[in-house]
């Protein structure tokens, strides 16, 4: 039930944030280098970062969810031949920055990282669903989950069908 609710929220968030972030630099702008502030920071309140267990908690989350992505037939083909440890580390950094934690993101932009991958919608939602299963398992409060997912939602346009 939680997953269904969060998925509905995700779709709504995609619609809302589509207009809400219009004034921000486009994440797909290839002129923006990864070190530039291309990631939306969703809070001034470090309580959110703490609700995910800080950097240590995010690392545990990525360890758990990568196993799920490698087991799910819709995400497995993308991750099985990739450098999983590097992706996990960059996801930790990315989520940490989004939650205004004390980190820097050293990876590429979402457009750069997913170019030529042909990720479709089904794979995108499968990835998010597996993440939600992990977040529930780790007892991350539902409201905190939704705040993260609302920040990830607008990234879909730089990831799907590229
Ligand atoms: C909101 C959703 C997503 C986020 C936040 C995200 C985030 C990231 C990040 C931070 C990286 C590392 C960047 C870098 O390599 O410099 C990455 C790489 C990667 N992502 Fe995603 N991603 C998302 C969706 C997806 C989906 C749906 C797939 C496939 C089903 C996918 C597959 C990959 C793969 C295979 C790489 C490694 C690319 C490489 O090594 O060249 N991602 N992603």
């Amino acid at each position: 039930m939680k997953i269904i609710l969060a998925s509905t929220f995700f779709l709504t968030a995609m619609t809302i944030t589509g207009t809400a972030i219009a004034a921000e630099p486009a994440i797909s702008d290839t002129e923006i280098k990864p070190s530039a502030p291309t990631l939306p920071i969703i809070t001034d309140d470090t309580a959110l970062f703490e609700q995910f267990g800080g950097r240590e908690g995010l690392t545990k989350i990525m360890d758990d969810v990568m196993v799920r992505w490698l087991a799910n037939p819709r995400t497995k083909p993308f991750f099985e031949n990739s450098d999983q440890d590097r992706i996990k580390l960059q996801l930790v950094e990315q989520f940490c920055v989004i939650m205004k934690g004390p980190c820097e993101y050293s990876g590429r932009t979402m457009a750069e990282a997913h170019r030529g991958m042909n990720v479709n919608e089904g794979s995108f939602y499968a990835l998010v669903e597996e993440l939600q299963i992990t977040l529930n398992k780790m007892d991350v409060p539902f409201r905190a989950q939704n705040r993260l997912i609302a920040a990830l939602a607008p990234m879909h346009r730089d990831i799907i069908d590229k």
Side-chain angles (χ1 to χ4, degrees), residues 6-24 146 149-157:
S7 300
T8 311
F9 180 88
F10 180 64
L11 288 171
T12 313
M14 280 183 16
T15 316
I16 295 168
T17 50
T19 48
I21 65 155
E24 298 294 324
N146 279 341
I149 287 167
L152 300 183
M155 295 181 188
H156 87 284
R157 59 175 165 249

Side-chain angles (χ1 to χ4, degrees), residues 74-75 78-79 82-83 86-87 90-91 94-95 105 107-108 110 113-114 117 119 123-124 127-128 152 155 159:
R74 287 197 290 181
T75 46
F78 296 94
F79 291 103
S82 64
D83 183 346
R86 185 183 57 79
I87 298 173
Q90 283 173 342
L91 280 166
Q94 186 190 44
F95 284 22
Y105 175 64
R108 295 167 287 172
M110 291 300 91
H114 300 90
M117 238 186 247
V119 174
S123 304
F124 189 89
L127 176 137
V128 174
L152 300 183
M155 295 181 188
I159 295 174

Side-chain angles (χ1 to χ4, degrees), residues 7 93 112 143 154:
S7 300
E93 290 173 357
E112 286 166 345
R143 192 170 171 274

